[in-house]
């Protein structure tokens, strides 16, 4: 696991020629699971904000968000 009090993140990183999976939390209280491609670009990011709001983001090969699913308000 990883725990970095200075940068305020903790989690588990799985690497295979570069980080491919990240499971953890960020400094703003966001819990996330990120899946990356072989080039290290995010392709799928699932997260829950500090307020409990979930989201699921899909990214293109350049790492740009192309679709985000959130609960209907």
């Amino acid at each position: 696991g990883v725990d970095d009090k200075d940068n305020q993140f903790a989690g588990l990183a799985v690497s295979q020629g570069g980080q491919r999976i990240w499971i953890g939390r960020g400094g703003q209280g966001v819990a996330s699971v990120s899946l990356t491609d072989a080039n290290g670009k995010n392709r799928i990011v699932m997260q829950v904000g500090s307020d409990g709001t979930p989201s699921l983001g899909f990214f293109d090969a350049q790492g740009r968000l192309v679709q985000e699913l959130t609960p209907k308000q």
Side-chain angles (χ1 to χ4, degrees):
V2 177
D3 193 358
D4 184 333
K5 293 178 182 168
D6 294 330
N7 293 316
Q8 299 183 359
F9 66 86
L12 173 67
V14 177
S15 299
Q16 181 182 31
Q19 183 173 299
R20 299 296 310 268
I21 302 170
W22 165 260
I23 303 169
R25 63 167 171 77
Q28 308 302 10
V30 176
S32 65
V33 176
S34 300
L35 304 177
T36 63
D37 62 19
N39 296 315
K41 300 285 187 182
N42 280 341
R43 297 308 299 268
I44 299 174
V45 177
M46 177 175 53
Q47 61 185 24
V48 178
S50 60
D51 65 352
T53 303
S55 67
L56 180 60
F58 297 90
F59 297 80
D60 66 14
Q62 286 72 45
R64 294 183 298 243
L65 182 66
V66 294
Q67 184 174 9
E68 184 174 39
L69 303 176
T70 59
K72 292 183 179 180
Q73 298 294 324

